[in-house]
Amino acid sequence: PAMRQMYLPDKGKPTKAHMVNLIRHCGFGVPDIKRALWSVTNSLTLICEGHLYPFKRDAKKEPQLRDMCLHRLPWPLEELEALGNTPVEMRVTLSYFIEPNPSARGVTSRYRYESHGLRFEVKRPSESESDFRGRINGAAKNEKEGTHTTGSDNDWVLGTKSRHKGSAHSDIWQGAAADLASRGVIGVYPALGWWKTRSALERYNQSVRYSLAISISAPNTDVDLYTAVENQIKTSVLVQY
C-alpha cells in the first residue's frame, strides 16, 4: 500500500505510464510466500520450460530470426466461459538468461549488451491460431526494424511497449472471465541481440532456454479452475506414454 500511495494517483484508474513508473521503482511489490508455494481451486500457476534457436545463418548471408514456440496450455475453457463477465486476472512471466557482450567499452549499439532477446504474446479472443502466428511474425519484424505497434489489446497493465525490459518480462491481464477463456495459447519469439549483429563471433547458432509462468486468478468466486487444469494434464500424460 505504501508503494502504491507513493507512485499511483489518489483517484481514478492508474494509466500504463503510472504503472511503469511504479514498477521501475518498486518491482512487482512484496513477495508472498504462500502464493509462491501453493495453488488453490480458484487460483493456480502453470510453469512451462522451453527452448528455441533464436537465429540462423544460411551460407554467407547475415543471420536471421529463426524459431518461435507456441504453447497450447491446458486451459479451463468451460469454467471460465461459465463465469461470463466475472473479473479475473492472468499474469504471464517470461524469464531467460542472456550472454553479455564481450566487446570493449565505448562500443555504441542498440544491441550492445544482450546476446538475444525473447518476447511473449498471448492469443486474443477473436484470433484464429493462424492469425495469431501472423501477428507474432509482424511483431518480430517490428523488433528487427526497431519499430513498434501498440495494437488493440488494452487490458494489460504494462502492454507490449513497456513489459519487455531486461531478461525477465512480466505483465498482468485483467478482464472478464469469458474473454480470458479464449487466450489459452502463448507464443514466445526472438528479438535482436549481438549474437545476430556480430556474426563474426559465430554465436548465431546457439540454442536458448526459457521459463514461462502463467497464473490465473478468480478471487471473487469459488470456481474450481485447478481441477479442470489438472485433469487435462493427467490426460495428456497418459496419451503421451
Side-chain angles (χ1 to χ4, degrees):
M3 297 176 188
R4 291 178 173 273
Q5 184 178 9
M6 184 175 296
Y7 293 104
L8 298 184
D10 294 332
K11 297 181 180 180
K13 183 179 179 180
T15 64
K16 283 182 170 54
H18 288 133
M19 296 304 298
V20 168
N21 191 41
L22 170 67
I23 291 169
R24 180 180 291 125
H25 287 87
C26 304
F28 279 88
V30 180
D32 185 330
I33 190 64
K34 291 182 179 179
R35 291 187 63 185
L37 293 177
W38 300 99
S39 292
V40 293
T41 56
N42 64 352
S43 178
L44 61 95
T45 297
L46 295 164
I47 298 174
C48 305
E49 302 285 344
H51 73 278
L52 56 76
Y53 287 87
F55 310 116
K56 65 178 180 179
R57 188 181 190 186
D58 297 326
K60 294 184 179 181
K61 296 180 180 179
E62 289 297 313
Q64 300 296 319
L65 300 180
R66 176 174 169 179
D67 291 347
M68 71 171 169
C69 292
L70 288 188
H71 295 271
R72 299 176 184 88
L73 304 172
W75 209 241
L77 176 64
E78 294 180 0
E79 288 73 14
L80 289 171
E81 287 180 338
L83 291 175
N85 291 323
T86 302
V88 295
E89 181 177 289
M90 172 179 63
R91 177 171 174 173
V92 180
T93 300
L94 171 64
S95 177
Y96 55 98
F97 290 104
I98 58 174
E99 182 180 4
N101 194 330
S103 63
R105 279 185 168 183
V107 175
T108 58
S109 168
R110 180 174 170 229
Y111 312 105
R112 65 183 180 272
Y113 182 76
E114 61 181 12
S115 54
H116 65 285
L118 295 181
R119 306 287 185 258
F120 73 82
E121 289 286 348
V122 179
K123 180 181 171 296
R124 297 170 183 170
S126 59
E127 283 183 318
S128 66
E129 192 167 299
S130 61
D131 288 341
F132 181 43
R133 286 175 178 268
R135 181 160 63 85
I136 291 178
N137 286 330
K141 181 180 179 181
N142 289 341
E143 288 279 351
K144 180 180 178 181
E145 297 176 351
T147 58
H148 178 74
T149 304
T150 57
S152 58
D153 202 356
N154 296 318
D155 293 322
W156 292 93
V157 169
L158 296 179
T160 55
K161 186 177 180 180
S162 301
R163 69 183 175 218
H164 293 136
K165 308 292 184 183
S167 59
H169 314 309
S170 192
D171 205 350
I172 299 169
W173 181 91
Q174 297 168 328
D179 236 5
L180 182 59
S182 301
R183 294 177 180 264
V185 182
I186 295 181
V188 177
Y189 63 96
L192 298 188
W194 66 262
W195 281 359
K196 179 181 185 301
T197 58
R198 303 189 67 196
S199 57
L201 297 179
E202 298 185 348
R203 300 292 289 166
Y204 43 77
N205 59 351
Q206 300 297 304
S207 173
V208 299
R209 296 185 177 276
Y210 62 86
S211 297
L212 264 177
I214 305 99
S215 299
I216 313 171
S217 177
N220 299 320
T221 72
D222 58 359
V223 64
D224 190 353
L225 302 176
Y226 186 93
T227 300
V229 171
E230 184 182 33
N231 288 339
Q232 291 187 53
I233 293 173
K234 287 180 178 179
T235 302
S236 65
V237 171
L238 288 173
V239 170
Q240 183 176 359
Y241 292 100

